[in-house]
Amino acid sequence: MNAKYPVRTTEKTLALVEQLMKRGSCGVTELANDLDMGKSAVHNHLTTLQEHGYVQKVGDEYQLSLKFLEVGGRIRKSMEFYQVAEPEVKSLAAETNELANILVEEQGMGVYLMRAKGKDAVDLDTYAGLRTCLHATALGKAILAHLPESRVEEIIEHRGLEQKTPKSIGTREELFQALNDIRERGYAIDDGERLEGLRCLGAPVKTSSGEVLGAISVSAPASRVSDEDLHGDLPEKVLSAANVIELNINY
Amino acid sequence: MNAKYPVRTTEKTLALVEQLMKRGSCGVTELANDLDMGKSAVHNHLTTLQEHGYVQKVGDEYQLSLKFLEVGGRIRKSMEFYQVAEPEVKSLAAETNELANILVEEQGMGVYLMRAKGKDAVDLDTYAGLRTCLHATALGKAILAHLPESRVEEIIEHRGLEQKTPKSIGTREELFQALNDIRERGYAIDDGERLEGLRCLGAPVKTSSGEVLGAISVSAPASRVSDEDLHGDLPEKVLSAANVIELNINY
DNA sequence: AACGGCGTTCTCTAGACCAGAACGCTTATT
DNA sequence: AATAAGCGTTCTGGTCTAGAGAACGCCGTT
């Protein structure tokens, strides 16, 4: 859905924010060139953003401030799913000694809400707020499996089915087959589909009315996860964590 | 510093974001009333923000999206101090079994970058991105003690010295005395100044040229921290963590 | 001294923002 | 059923402002 009467000035401000995020820290002239704007316009936008705390001037360069982290943190903190799931992610990580994550769906993409590292955890670059496509992770597939089929169609229409690795799901048929399996099995598996050599196991978290709120997972190097683990011990722990979250949400 | 030629349209967009953050989730008319704007204006701003992913429509209400978390997360991740300090905060929490935090200064306020909970950790509401005044925490004082005096003056001028608890620092003289002590001692103590019954111990992290980058701390209930701990075991652990960070930053 | 680059100031007008009215839709009320 | 009251959305015209461009002051370099 695109805005019918977009506010062009706001779009320029947002473009500036994006550019500043890419560059990290830079000067007025540089931004003006990047965005094909006059220097004065860029300057006015930057000082406006600065006045409201979203941008700061360090030396003679401008950069985004941590205000974005504050806003993001408040939004996350206000989500019931996050509040309830947070301690469970930590215990799951501690119990398995691996990396545990939670993910929610937003605008057809997965957003990592937090992660917790067990003592042997691999160091992935999944920070809170990171977006990922849904079809190539155990977390994402666990969510897709419990969305209405029409929504899934919409998402693959809009976002496509990018192949992250040769093992990634690449066609509609494959995906719907996988989602069926997940619904039967109760949990989703990612065996090197997002990252070669990484195995993940994800379970959905649903309300009592069946609506999916998000998913919880454990990720570990293939070398430490046998085929038996993938269908025995590990799913049990992840499902149990998902279950505790569901119980705490539904009271 | 206030913008000389503010972009009013951008200010309206930002006001909308703030309001949406306060409300959590709400409709066009409600926002229009809150901000004294026409419904059409609010609608145009919201759809523009939506198109760029900062706002989403859930049912027939609008709300901020996790895009802010994404942007904030990227900013944090790009900070060298965060990258280096992150593992040390975790080990400090594990070692002490209490709550460990890191904080940086921005625009005269402290911003929590992350926290790690040891197994006995108290559950404070310090989430990543939260802002706090500098003079009432061990972390903040550790930073203030190593900023140029002119900067400290500027900050208390601008932000004041709010008393969080009866024990909080309330006057300039008290503050400068405290900062002197901290410089001599090497670490800062907060004995119930931010929150009654909570004791914190914070140490600054500086570059080789003496510039302060941030601070690291441990917080624990007073019942678990004796007066001896406050000057013996605990500072040693916190200082050691700060030292490791400094070494890793300066190579 | 002169130059080239920067961030910032300032002015003026083309253009966009937005109040307000109107519309379709859903829900509450009669 | 019919009405009313509320919502979000569409659309337009008049008003205000966003921003190009020129000029300025301030570095560092030549």
Side-chain angles (χ1 to χ4, degrees):
Chain A
M1 185 265 190
N2 44 353
K4 193 139 195 190
Y5 298 95
V7 183
R8 290 184 219 291
T9 308
T10 299
E11 293 193 313
K12 284 178 190 165
T13 299
L14 296 179
L16 232 149
V17 167
E18 299 277 329
Q19 195 62 30
L20 216 37
M21 181 161 55
K22 278 190 202 143
R23 291 248 183 207
S25 175
C26 72
V28 173
T29 309
E30 211 169 350
L31 287 169
N33 291 337
D34 287 351
L35 302 171
D36 261 311
M37 292 170 65
K39 286 196 294 172
S40 65
V42 170
H43 182 256
N44 291 344
H45 280 263
L46 286 175
T47 50
T48 305
L49 284 166
Q50 182 180 202
E51 187 159 355
H52 292 260
Y54 291 88
V55 157
Q56 61 179 335
K57 202 174 163 181
V58 174
D60 54 357
E61 300 214 306
Y62 288 92
Q63 60 183 237
L64 296 181
S65 86
L66 289 166
K67 175 105 180 189
F68 286 92
L69 192 64
E70 183 188 1
V71 177
R74 283 169 76 153
I75 295 167
R76 180 174 70 166
K77 196 172 128 80
S78 73
M79 296 175 69
E80 194 189 5
F81 175 62
Y82 172 73
Q83 287 167 32
V84 175
E86 197 240 38
E88 298 312 317
V89 180
K90 291 192 176 170
S91 9
L92 185 59
E95 206 180 323
T96 57
N97 296 321
E98 301 287 358
L99 182 71
N101 275 291
I102 49 177
L103 186 99
V104 295
E105 182 264 334
E106 198 174 272
Q107 294 152 0
M109 300 234 81
V111 182
Y112 288 97
L113 276 192
M114 71 162 289
R115 62 174 188 178
K117 282 167 147 180
K119 72 172 165 37
D120 305 324
V122 290
D123 197 358
L124 295 182
D125 58 347
T126 55
Y127 56 93
L130 181 73
R131 272 157 202 268
T132 180
C133 44
L134 290 165
H135 68 278
T137 66
L139 286 160
K141 289 191 291 182
I143 291 176
L144 284 176
H146 299 274
L147 286 175
E149 195 166 314
S150 60
R151 191 72 220 291
V152 178
E153 295 277 11
E154 228 175 83
I155 290 172
I156 61 181
E157 175 78 23
H158 181 207
R159 300 289 181 182
L161 291 172
E162 194 202 338
Q163 303 253 115
K164 292 261 187 181
T165 73
K167 287 183 172 175
S168 297
I169 287 176
T171 68
R172 275 189 40 136
E173 288 67 34
E174 270 183 274
L175 179 63
F176 281 104
Q177 182 57 54
L179 298 186
N180 258 326
D181 293 348
I182 291 163
R183 275 187 293 268
E184 279 176 25
R185 207 193 293 126
Y187 56 89
I189 291 174
D190 159 14
D191 185 3
E193 291 163 41
R194 187 182 94 96
L195 205 69
E196 207 97 46
L198 187 77
R199 286 183 153 178
C200 310
L201 208 146
V205 174
K206 293 176 290 177
T207 61
S208 50
S209 61
E211 194 198 355
V212 61
L213 295 171
I216 182 169
S217 77
V218 166
S219 305
S223 57
R224 277 206 293 270
V225 183
S226 67
D227 289 353
E228 298 91 71
D229 289 340
L230 260 191
H231 296 94
D233 226 32
L234 214 47
E236 200 178 305
K237 285 174 179 158
V238 177
L239 284 170
S240 151
N243 198 239
V244 172
I245 299 171
E246 285 178 352
L247 288 172
N248 285 331
I249 279 180
N250 298 320
Y251 303 130
Chain B
M1 184 263 188
N2 44 355
K4 194 140 195 188
Y5 299 95
V7 182
R8 290 183 218 291
T9 310
T10 299
E11 293 192 312
K12 284 177 191 166
T13 300
L14 296 179
L16 233 149
V17 168
E18 299 278 328
Q19 195 61 32
L20 216 37
M21 182 161 55
K22 277 191 204 142
R23 290 248 183 208
S25 175
C26 72
V28 173
T29 308
E30 211 169 347
L31 286 169
N33 291 337
D34 288 350
L35 302 171
D36 262 311
M37 294 170 66
K39 286 195 294 172
S40 64
V42 170
H43 182 256
N44 291 344
H45 280 262
L46 285 174
T47 51
T48 305
L49 284 167
Q50 180 179 204
E51 186 159 357
H52 292 262
Y54 291 88
V55 156
Q56 62 180 332
K57 202 174 162 182
V58 174
D60 54 359
E61 299 215 307
Y62 288 92
Q63 59 183 239
L64 296 182
S65 87
L66 290 166
K67 175 105 181 189
F68 286 93
L69 192 64
E70 184 188 1
V71 176
R74 282 169 75 153
I75 295 167
R76 180 174 71 166
K77 195 172 126 79
S78 73
M79 297 175 69
E80 196 190 2
F81 174 63
Y82 172 72
Q83 287 167 31
V84 175
E86 198 241 37
E88 299 311 319
V89 180
K90 290 192 176 170
S91 6
L92 184 59
E95 206 181 320
T96 57
N97 295 321
E98 300 288 358
L99 182 69
N101 275 292
I102 48 176
L103 185 98
V104 294
E105 182 265 335
E106 200 174 90
Q107 295 152 0
M109 300 234 81
V111 182
Y112 287 97
L113 277 191
M114 72 163 288
R115 63 172 188 182
K117 282 168 149 178
K119 71 173 169 28
D120 305 324
V122 290
D123 198 356
L124 295 182
D125 57 348
T126 56
Y127 56 93
L130 181 72
R131 273 157 201 267
T132 180
C133 43
L134 290 165
H135 69 278
T137 66
L139 286 160
K141 289 191 289 181
I143 291 176
L144 285 176
H146 298 274
L147 286 176
E149 195 166 314
S150 61
R151 191 72 220 292
V152 178
E153 296 277 12
E154 228 176 84
I155 291 172
I156 61 180
E157 175 77 23
H158 183 206
R159 300 290 180 183
L161 290 173
E162 195 202 337
Q163 301 252 116
K164 292 262 188 181
T165 73
K167 288 185 175 178
S168 297
I169 287 178
T171 68
R172 273 189 41 134
E173 287 68 34
E174 270 184 274
L175 179 63
F176 280 105
Q177 182 57 54
L179 297 187
N180 259 326
D181 294 348
I182 290 163
R183 275 188 293 268
E184 278 176 27
R185 206 194 293 125
Y187 55 89
I189 291 175
D190 159 14
D191 185 4
E193 292 164 41
R194 187 182 94 96
L195 207 69
E196 206 98 47
L198 188 75
R199 286 184 153 180
C200 309
L201 206 146
V205 174
K206 293 177 289 176
T207 61
S208 50
S209 60
E211 194 198 355
V212 62
L213 295 170
I216 181 167
S217 76
V218 167
S219 305
S223 57
R224 277 206 293 269
V225 183
S226 67
D227 289 351
E228 298 91 73
D229 288 340
L230 260 193
H231 295 91
D233 226 30
L234 214 47
E236 200 179 307
K237 284 174 179 157
V238 177
L239 284 169
S240 150
N243 198 238
V244 172
I245 299 171
E246 285 178 352
L247 289 171
N248 285 331
I249 279 181
N250 299 320
Y251 301 130

